[in-house]
């Protein structure tokens, strides 16, 4: 029997057996989005998938195929849709994908599902997709689905942030393509990180509003919103350790595993 | 610079440079669908992705992230939605995803796009998605997008089919989880093939109509519609060679590469 | 009492009585599409309606009003949307129409429904419409609807095809506006066939892919994909006999009539 | 050449020639709806189609295939959705059908279109469908489409109404399945009228509001809202003469024919 | 405790208590639409809100927040979308808003709902929204919602109309921005009425059809379809008295209050 | 001439004149949502409307009618949909409303629009609505619309927060129905504040994830997420002064007023 936490690597009888045993299913919600000149477009797929893989292993769960296109990048959190290579879905499209996948999983007996956001802008459309999916399942007579939904980066200890940012954490939004994501990529996919290309034009200094069309100079030309310098695989490991430990604990607690 | 045909592995400036140079972009359209007890749920992601990777290398193109959830499995071509692990999208959802991705690529300067279907049921919804995407691009002032759309398995020489099926080719629809897909998986992902679990309850004997709800016994219990026995990686190589050679030739001809 | 299999010709009490008696309802799915210079735009309405009329008479069923606009014509099977007079619906529109009609019939007590496709491109959107309709009915508490769905031309005996095509059958797709449809129209609506205008520029020689925008010369200028010469009402009768006999038998078998 | 005003009876070159000559296209918007025990379910298809046929002949126009399923029947104007045989579309579905047909006609060069409502409840959804269709055409660069939209029964002279209703006209809404429609059906499809079954439980006495769910007794049990007695084919002819004369005059005036 | 019929002025426990006591909820359906040079854009919000406030007080009900954007203005009943300040929703959007609000109210225990149209063009889209909302509630297991839906101006006594229009009532459609609405605004919001700016270019003389694009001169330049001269607050009071008395009576009767 | 910044209080010629003069239009995005036992359901309508009114007066702008129903309340920021009186729209519905209003304003010549969010959960759906609206306007040939979008509460000086929260600001999300909103309501609508009913069961202690269905005790029973005690109209004035000054400055800067 194939030993894998990835649903895509299991045959249907293997999947069936895992679900019958109560395995929670993790659905990573990624994106195809610019992450500066030193990181690839697939960062938001690689990271939540990597986190889910480790958490699933820890708690006996499965990882459904990562949704690789996310909701539109916003200038203040991802640089915006104008950067080449950022290819996104309308909110309605994204939410319908999440709805349909949840509905499909529910019809096959899954009763514990965890949506893991790996792209800031997916937060709200994933809420809507989850709500729509649960609504449909209830109408189909499946009222006992249990679900969690979160952004993986929120599972980090204060001490770790302090270690990573001795001068103070700039906040989640500005961390796009910056120290956290770069360090995690150096851990997971070092061959795709060109750290010498990390720009120095950040951090961005955004106003408290969105502006359309995006004015010239609103976003750093590199697409990096804060600072990537100082990233290391070791720091990525600190983060990953926190993510896996804290998420696993939360999942176990909520689902009684 | 990262050397990869996968868009997800390139940074945005690398992507931008390739597109500026006229690279065609391949979009594999996969599925998460049962493929019998001997193949994993991700066959329809692995195969078109593998084909696109090789063709993109041959013609200087890029491969966009594979859409991992497809249109609903039909009993007569994929076993149907009742097999555990088959998780699908509504047609409208699937077409909107295709539309949005095409629109996004077009807005970033892509002018040659190739939709590569790796799941039978994606055929028509991908036509619609392409039509909607091109319509939106025209309304956005982009009227010169060139596109191709096909099923990869249609690019095979008569001689190859005759070699593979000395007793006659049963037809594309019945080939679900059978000799062609199994052989290709043995070539690309041998560690995921459990050939000893290949069932012997096929081939299916379908009537010329769909039937809802699907009657008991309509589909072979294994989910394999024809016969997987006799699959080998070598046969997979014959197929892959045809797919890559014929698709590359068609793309070069149509796009003048 | 009006004696008719056409639902549109019955009063509501007459319809109610037939449904209470268990009559299956046939829904022909047509199109308004070019069929060459020798056939009218309404071929895909006339033929499935004619088939359904005869089958309904044979099995004691009713024929719901034919949906007269179909899914978009594809170049390789219908010539494409550029031919004057081809007026089509988006896939989502078409599927919603099918969904709504099925839901309405189900709410009035119909429990046996047969979707009869008379236009190649309606195949998949009718699958989706049927799936959506049945889903809504289940949510409305109606879980016992039985349905069939097919293309009428698939109900033909091998012998008949051999008689019609002594040199070999070119395949369903290419038969657009060709021998089969022309012969059936000569049987059903001879006054609308201008056989002397049947072109000789076919058969089409299509590649194994779709191409957008459709290149000059991709489709025969006449819109006829194969060959219409040799069509006769007698051949139409051979076909109709097969269609009615085989469909009636399948409906009786599936619905226990 | 086939001589017909029905688009469905023309070949594509014949259609093309008529449109090139400036022919207006009439689109009848019908329904499948109960019309009492004495009239068939297809009244709202037969009547606007019959009117359009005559007007098209008078002004040199064409009649596109009648949309046979309409917007939901309302209790106060059509008896409501609970009568067996009334099969309707959601408003969004209906409007999308109208939108798509208008868009398709516009893309083929039609520049004069006339929506002819034959079912009271289609009025507003046809307005929306027309607005959406024209909007799409403008975005496709077609800004010179001219359109009219109306209910055919509004084209009647005061004198004719006075002749038909010596005791006063009860109003359009209540006329469902009553004198006007019955007389017109006796003119156009006498074999489908069972005048001896015309009920005597009308006219309905509705309040000034809708009520959901529809209370018992809100609608006459027969589905006839006023009175059908006294209907004759001769009266149908009076009406038809008015409809054809007044609509033709309006179309000529607006389109400069 | 706050004493108000406006839901927006109650806290959630206050709302909960009223609903538990069986209070019907009134939902005014307004618009932002031109009403001539003498009336503000918000007439269709102010009037149904004012009517609902008084009726709710009379029958012990609540008024939900008025929907302030309505369905598109039609030339023959509201002047059309071209008048500055008329800002409208697509029909689908409007119906979805109504659907969602009804669903939300139903989930909180409301079982008596009254849709009060204050803008002619909202009539049909509100029917659809109500139908969709009730459908969703039934699928959510709430089958006992009772609803009414009407235009407030239909609740007026013959005598009152005779008093207001000694020369005959021109009909509801033409009353846009004319005597009825102006008088009611003089009663409710006199500071917003500039009666000296009431134009004299009416009444409009419309044909029996819609025309797109709207021809020059089709609508009076002022946007007033009939005549506003002679409006007084006293006449507004006559109308308001009728509206409140007749609507209250109907609501009491239907809901057994 | 009526002197008002509220669009609903202007006649169409008055609106037209203001827009021709370049007035920016503010669109407040509200909600109908529980705000604890001491505040009314309409807080999220009253506050952004009040802010917009003052800013519009300061910069010569107009305030469009406030959208009174918002996106679904989330447990961690608004208590969730289960509190009586919280009536919300699906994300798609909400975004379509925003899209349609922006499109309508753009067609009437508005070129400066400001979306002002008054309900946390409206943030993302308003982004999508704005994006869809601008996209449609571009397709309609209007490419020069300038837009801003923000949450009004983000316009506050550090000093003010320090004055308001000597023990540290708990963060925007937890501020639901707490000190900020209560103080602002005491300023704007003191008659609707029942400060003695302010609960003491907060502040909420939320985990870093959403949980469905919402577990018992996840949200404080009162619906107040932090602490309302200590609220005063004077503090509301501090906040309002900041909001108006900072927003006005930002609008002037961005729009060059």
């Amino acid at each position: 029997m194939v030993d894998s936490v990835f649903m895509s690597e299991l045959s249907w009888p293997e999947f069936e057996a895992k679900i019958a045993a109560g395995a929670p299913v993790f659905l990573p919600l990624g994106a195809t989005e610019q992450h500066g000149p030193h990181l690839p477009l697939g960062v938001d797929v690689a990271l939540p998938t990597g986190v889910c893989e480790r958490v699933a292993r820890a708690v006996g769960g499965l990882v459904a195929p990562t949704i690789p296109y996310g909701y539109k990048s916003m200038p203040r959190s991802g640089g915006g849709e104008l950067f080449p290579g950022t290819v996104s879905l309308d909110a309605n499209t994204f939410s319908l994908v999440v709805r349909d996948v949840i509905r499909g999983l529910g019809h096959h007996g899954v009763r514990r599902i965890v949506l893991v956001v790996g792209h800031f802008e997916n937060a709200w459309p994933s809420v809507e997709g989850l709500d729509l999916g649960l609504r449909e399942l209830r109408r189909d007579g499946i009222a006992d689905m249990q679900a969690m939904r979160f952004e993986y980066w929120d599972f980090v200890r204060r001490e770790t942030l302090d270690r990573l940012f001795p001068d103070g954490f700039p906040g989640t939004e500005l961390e796009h393509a910056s120290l956290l994501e770069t360090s995690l990529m150096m851990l997971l996919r070092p061959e795709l990180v060109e750290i010498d290309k990390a720009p120095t034009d950040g951090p961005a200094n955004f106003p408290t509003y969105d502006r359309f069309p995006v004015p010239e100079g609103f976003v750093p030309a590199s697409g990096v919103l804060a600072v990537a310098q100082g990233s290391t695989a070791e720091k990525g490991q600190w983060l990953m350790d926190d993510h896996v430990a804290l998420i696993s604990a939360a999942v176990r607690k909520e689902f009684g595993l």
Side-chain angles (χ1 to χ4, degrees), chain A:
Chain A
M1 183 172 174
V2 172
D3 182 29
S4 170
V5 294
F6 289 110
M7 185 178 157
S8 67
E9 300 189 340
L10 302 181
S11 69
W12 72 260
E14 291 161 353
F15 171 82
E16 186 181 39
K18 295 253 192 185
I19 297 307
V25 175
F26 295 82
L27 177 61
L29 304 173
T32 297
E33 188 192 29
Q34 75 84 14
H35 276 76
H38 65 300
L39 290 178
L41 296 168
V43 165
D44 287 353
V45 167
L47 298 190
T49 306
V51 169
C52 286
E53 178 186 7
R54 285 156 182 78
V55 174
R57 216 167 268 146
V59 304
L62 292 179
V63 184
T66 303
I67 295 177
Y69 297 97
Y71 179 58
K72 292 165 201 162
S73 177
M74 293 300 299
R76 293 195 285 159
S77 50
E81 291 289 298
L82 295 181
F83 279 90
T86 298
V87 175
S88 308
L89 306 181
D90 282 354
N92 187 47
T93 305
F94 184 83
S95 296
L96 293 181
V97 170
V98 173
R99 178 197 71 176
D100 288 3
V101 171
I102 288 172
R103 184 182 57 211
L105 291 170
H107 283 183
H108 289 313
V110 176
R111 286 297 175 274
R112 292 154 167 168
I113 196 161
V114 188
L115 300 196
V116 181
V117 169
H119 168 67
F120 188 83
E121 290 83 352
N122 286 351
W124 280 102
S126 69
V127 168
E128 180 66 0
L130 178 55
D131 189 67
L132 297 179
L134 296 177
R135 182 195 291 174
E136 295 222 348
L137 286 172
R138 285 193 302 271
R139 292 179 182 170
D140 292 340
I142 298 172
D144 59 343
M145 176 69 95
Q146 295 288 326
M148 299 174 68
R149 195 210 64 82
F150 51 77
E151 287 71 48
Y152 73 81
W153 51 76
D154 283 335
F155 291 78
V156 61
R157 291 174 304 143
R158 189 71 243 171
E159 306 90 272
T160 307
L161 284 179
D162 289 344
R163 261 212 293 181
L164 291 164
F165 299 98
D167 301 332
F169 179 46
T172 298
E173 282 185 34
L174 278 192
E175 260 306 302
H176 185 79
S178 302
L179 189 95
L180 300 183
E181 292 190 320
T182 305
S183 295
L184 280 167
M185 282 300 285
M186 292 175 93
L187 174 69
L188 293 185
R189 301 293 303 275
E191 77 282 10
L192 298 180
V193 182
E194 301 175 281
I195 192 65
D196 53 305
K197 293 191 180 166
T200 57
D201 58 352
N205 187 15
F206 290 120
T208 48
Y209 49 84
D210 295 323
R211 187 71 176 77
F212 299 90
V214 182
E216 186 82 22
F218 193 85
V219 176
S222 68
V224 178
L225 302 191
V227 174
Q229 275 76 18
S231 302
T232 66
E234 187 192 20
K235 291 178 182 171
Q237 187 69 57
W238 300 347
L239 285 162
M240 183 59 84
D241 287 346
D242 270 20
H243 295 336
V244 174
L246 298 180
I247 294 174
S248 298
V251 169
R252 282 202 191 91
K253 176 178 166 230
E254 293 296 331
F255 293 160
L257 298 176

